[in-house]
């Protein structure tokens, strides 16, 4: 398929890679008026918009994945960028100036940017692979959102994990997995954790801190094999010892994705070799940026150099500064590792005889500080556990400032600038947020342009939106820049950032004005018009408010909500039919089996919610799958009521005190598909033994005998673990059913967008909820129950759209903007990456970077 683009006088810029490097380069180009000069097309391996890869560890620890997106799909449309999401470029014909993608797309280009990033390094190891394309079940890389989601799902039903690699990424992975209740072991082949940043003494202190968290650390262990019997059962070491485990995560380094450069005839050493303008040395019209680029022999694995490279590239390609040149980066970074503050820059120990080395160590408190000074200049510093002097040290390191004669003043507040003074006296060019490349000057300029709240400055500049380690310094700078007159950000209470109203006020306004569509709300209430980032939240609110009177607009939906299935890493979808209370029958199972055979479903998975997940369904097959299943949607993709988990109750269990199965099925039937600010998972237990885990669900009901039921709210057992609060003990299953609905309706009407019940309940307060919903102090219960009844009456199975598509292209084999590749299916395994192994894909694109190269397998 050759795409013929209209000739509108602009050059065609093609960007291969939709990760942080590629997207940042495009952002910089747009800021320089690049849209007037270029038609821009981007290719990315992953079927998403651009997200902050640094934040994957936060997602693994339990934060919402939607919070890490930097540029959602709407951003590309808003900026007239054609995005081929989930499509990989496999060849560049430099003679004809065309790129060839794996879905058959062929595009010509005038300028080309390669930003293919890097991939997880899987060291040679027995048992790692089932074959040359498929990892042994239970083995994971940690590089993409799909890697993270796969780990999260796997971790739900496994208990012991080994993380191979004791660098930053490995410790973050270990910390994240531990939050899910796993016993975690970190294995490092070298003698020091985070050996890229820390010397032996600092590494030993970090080890003590990590082990105090409950994570076991093994140093000097070389992993030689993964033991498996179908799935992972352990790892073996070179000294003959072993660890039993059922999950292995590889974080032992990364490798640049340079296969595309090799087959296209570009000079590739460790990565694609570039000049000072970030152009490939063989072709002046091809640029490379990020981890796939090698500049003056260096390949950078940190995000800060990436921003600097993108700036130079944009200056040069747009002509904004034809003399712009990149001369390399000085690496200074501030991180938070497994909850521990760490700052590192330059050398970690002296290298010459006359280098000065000053250090302080207090292992009991987990504190280590050191500085390396050469010829009176700071050339290295390490701060672990106490980073109060980081601002001053970063400035000294970057600017080569004179240092105090008493070197110890570099580490303590004996003299010299305090942390706050350091922030005030920093040079404007000092980078404050390494994750997003924001300098002190950027923050100050934002304040001078009228934004005087911390949250406003952070939103405008993205400072503090990465790992969050710089938030304290951002606060100091904003406080200084405003002269201490920091404004309280009233927008923090707004339901969406584009409309200055909290949720109750916004709902009242919509009700009063009869606003039933997202576009109508923007038109009437948003001072600055449409905001792509507000659409999903508004759509959810309007559905709660208007039910079947809501006017649906498809562009307000995420892809999952448009096709009523959960998109997977390879562009296919998962289908989860409703199985009420986890109870099914032979007829349903036969239909599921027939569907799996008919559509060559590569994986059938029993979920933690007692349902059956059909994975690997092609988009165009969704209507057929639904029709043949002849079962309602299980809503396993949206912000809505999901499922009710039950135990076997009184029918079969000798301990049962109540019919948990019956109540659970009735509950799922009554509240099926309800839209809500975040997903809701429920459970009913037939006795206090709690086999269905009702105490850790958003809403849980437990039978205590004599038709009495305890109703718990605000529980969680995912990344956040919280026992639910007892809202009330009621008599009668119907009363329990009604009280659950009363609580859910109150939550739907009052919770913030994406606020789970485990945050909502503590915020409102259990006593207040009891007063409102049990004692009916304010007389609102009848209204809540009435509105819940209207909502349940409006239920309509979304899979009916399989028979009556809303648009002609709803189930065509394409993403919203471009066609998706068909994914080959391998026998007995899940297809991925178009049939290429994630780690060994030779032409992987779109893998922008946000972390650092590590060693230690």
């Amino acid at each position: 398929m050759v795409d013929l683009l209209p000739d509108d006088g602009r050059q065609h810029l093609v960007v291969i890679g939709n990760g942080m490097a590629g997207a940042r380069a495009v952002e910089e180009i747009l800021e320089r008026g690049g849209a007037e000069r270029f038609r821009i097309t981007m290719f990315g391996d992953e079927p998403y918009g651009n997200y902050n890869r640094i934040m994957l560890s936060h997602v693994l620890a339990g934060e919402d994945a939607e919070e890490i997106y930097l540029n959602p799909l709407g951003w590309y449309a808003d900026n007239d960028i054609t995005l081929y999401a989930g499509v990989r470029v496999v060849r560049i014909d430099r003679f004809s100036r065309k790129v060839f993608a794996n879905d058959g797309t062929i595009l010509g280009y005038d300028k080309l940017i390669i930003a293919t990033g890097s991939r997880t390094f899987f060291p040679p190891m027995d048992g790692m692979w089932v074959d040359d394309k498929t990892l042994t079940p239970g083995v994971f890389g940690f590089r993409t959102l799909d890697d993270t989601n796969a780990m999260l799902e796997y971790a739900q039903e496994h208990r012991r994990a080994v993380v191979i690699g004791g660098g930053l990424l490995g410790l973050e992975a270990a910390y994240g997995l531990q939050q899910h209740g796993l016993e975690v072991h970190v294995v490092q082949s070298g003698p020091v954790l985070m050996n890229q940043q820390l010397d032996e003494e600092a590494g030993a202190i970090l080890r003590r801190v990590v082990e105090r968290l409950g994570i076991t650390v093994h140093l000097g262990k070389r992993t030689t094999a993964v033991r498996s019997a179908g799935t992972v059962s352990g790892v073996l070491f070179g000294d003959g010892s072993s660890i039993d485990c059922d999950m292995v995560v590889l974080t032992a380094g990364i490798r640049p994705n340079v296969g595309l450069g090799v087959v296209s005839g570009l000079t590739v050493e460790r990565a694609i070799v570039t000049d000072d303008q970030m152009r490939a040395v063989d072709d002046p019209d091809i640029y490379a940026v990020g981890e796939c680029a090698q500049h003056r022999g260096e390949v950078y694995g940190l995000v800060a150099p990436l921003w600097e490279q993108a700036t130079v590239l944009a200056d040069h390609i747009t002509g904004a500064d034809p003399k712009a040149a990149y001369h390399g980066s000085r690496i200074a970074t501030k991180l938070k590792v497994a909850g521990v503050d760490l700052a590192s820059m330059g050398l970690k120990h002296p290298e010459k005889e006359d280098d000065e080395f000053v250090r302080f160590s207090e292992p009991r408190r987990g504190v280590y500080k050191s500085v390396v000074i050469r010829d009176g200049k700071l050339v290295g510093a390490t701060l672990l556990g106490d980073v109060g002097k980081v601002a001053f040290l970063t400035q000294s390191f970057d600017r080569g400032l004179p240092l105090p004669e008493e070197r110890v003043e570099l580490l303590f507040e004996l003299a010299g600038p305090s942390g706050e003074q350091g922030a005030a006296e920093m040079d404007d060019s000092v980078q404050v947020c390494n994750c997003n490349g924001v300098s002190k000057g950027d923050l100050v300029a934002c304040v001078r342009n009228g934004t005087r709240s911390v949250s406003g400055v952070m939103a405008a500049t993205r400072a503090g939106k990465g790992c969050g380690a710089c938030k304290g310094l951002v606060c100091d700078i904003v406080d200084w820049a405003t002269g201490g007159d920091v404004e309280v950000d009233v927008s923090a209470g707004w339901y969406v950032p584009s409309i200055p109203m909290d949720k109750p006020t916004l709902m009242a306004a919509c009700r009063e004005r009869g606003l039933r569509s997202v576009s109508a709300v923007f038109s009437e209430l948003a001072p600055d018009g449409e905001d792509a980032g507000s659409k999903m939240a508004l759509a959810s609110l309007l559905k709660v408010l208007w039910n079947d009177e809501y006017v649906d607009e498809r562009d307000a939906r995420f892809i999952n909500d448009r096709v009523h299935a959960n998109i997977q890493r390879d562009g296919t979808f998962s289908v989860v039919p409703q199985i009420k209370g986890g109870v099914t029958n032979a007829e349903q199972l036969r239909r599921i089996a027939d569907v799996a055979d008919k559509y060559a479903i590569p994986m059938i998975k029993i979920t933690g919610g007692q349902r059956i997940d059909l994975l690997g369904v092609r988009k165009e097959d969704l209507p057929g799958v639904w029709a043949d299943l002849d079962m309602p949607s299980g809503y396993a993709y949206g912000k809505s009521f999901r499922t009710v988990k039950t135990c076997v109750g009184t029918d079969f269990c000798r301990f049962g005190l109540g019919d948990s199965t019956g109540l659970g099925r009735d509950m799922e039937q009554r509240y099926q598909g309800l839209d809500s600010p975040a997903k809701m998972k429920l459970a009913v237990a037939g006795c206090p033994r709690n086999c269905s885990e009702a105490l850790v669900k958003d809403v849980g009901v437990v039978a205590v005998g004599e038709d009495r039921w305890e109703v718990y709210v605000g529980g969680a057992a995912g990344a956040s673990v919280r026992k639910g609060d007892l809202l009330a003990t009621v008599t009668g299953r119907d009363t329990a059913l009604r009280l659950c609905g009363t609580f859910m309706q109150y939550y739907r009407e009052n919770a913030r967008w994406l606020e789970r019940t485990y945050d909502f309940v503590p915020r409102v307060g259990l006593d207040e909820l009891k007063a409102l919903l049990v004692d009916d102090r304010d007389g609102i219960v009848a209204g809540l129950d009435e509105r819940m009844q209207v909502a349940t009456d409006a239920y309509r199975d979304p899979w009916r759209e399989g028979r009556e598509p809303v648009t002609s292209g709803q189930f065509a084999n394409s993403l919203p903007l471009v066609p998706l590749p068909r994914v080959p299916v391998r026998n007995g395994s899940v297809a991925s990456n178009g049939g290429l192994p994630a780690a060994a894909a030779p032409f992987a694109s779109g893998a922008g970077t946000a972390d650092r190269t590590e060693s230690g397998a």
Side-chain angles (χ1 to χ4, degrees), residues 391-392 395 417-427 440 473 476-477 480:
F392 176 69
Q395 185 178 8
S418 65
E420 292 73 16
Q421 289 171 326
E425 296 171 1
M426 289 171 61
D427 189 272
K440 176 194 170 185
L473 184 54
D476 290 343
I477 293 173
W480 168 79

Side-chain angles (χ1 to χ4, degrees), residues 432-488:
V432 175
C433 176
N434 292 324
C435 300
N436 288 305
V438 183
S439 68
K440 176 194 170 185
D442 297 328
L443 299 173
V444 173
C446 186
V447 172
R448 289 175 179 166
N449 286 333
T451 304
R452 301 179 66 82
S453 67
V454 173
S455 58
V457 171
M458 290 173 62
T461 63
R462 292 183 179 172
K465 296 291 187 179
C467 70
C470 65
K471 285 182 180 178
L473 184 54
V474 173
C475 291
D476 290 343
I477 293 173
V478 173
D479 184 64
W480 168 79
T482 59
D485 187 23
V486 178
E487 292 180 355
V488 176

Side-chain angles (χ1 to χ4, degrees), residues 467-538:
C467 70
C470 65
K471 285 182 180 178
L473 184 54
V474 173
C475 291
D476 290 343
I477 293 173
V478 173
D479 184 64
W480 168 79
T482 59
D485 187 23
V486 178
E487 292 180 355
V488 176
D489 184 8
V490 294
S491 67
W494 298 352
Y495 179 65
V496 291
S498 58
I499 300 174
M501 297 180 182
D502 60 19
K503 187 171 182 178
T505 305
L506 179 57
M507 291 185 73
C510 292
R511 188 181 294 111
E512 180 181 346
R513 302 187 189 201
L515 306 177
R516 289 173 168 77
S517 69
V518 171
S519 61
V521 174
F522 280 132
S523 176
E524 291 277 331
L525 303 177
D528 298 321
E530 285 198 6
D531 169 43
S534 301
K535 288 184 177 180
M536 287 182 61
L538 285 175

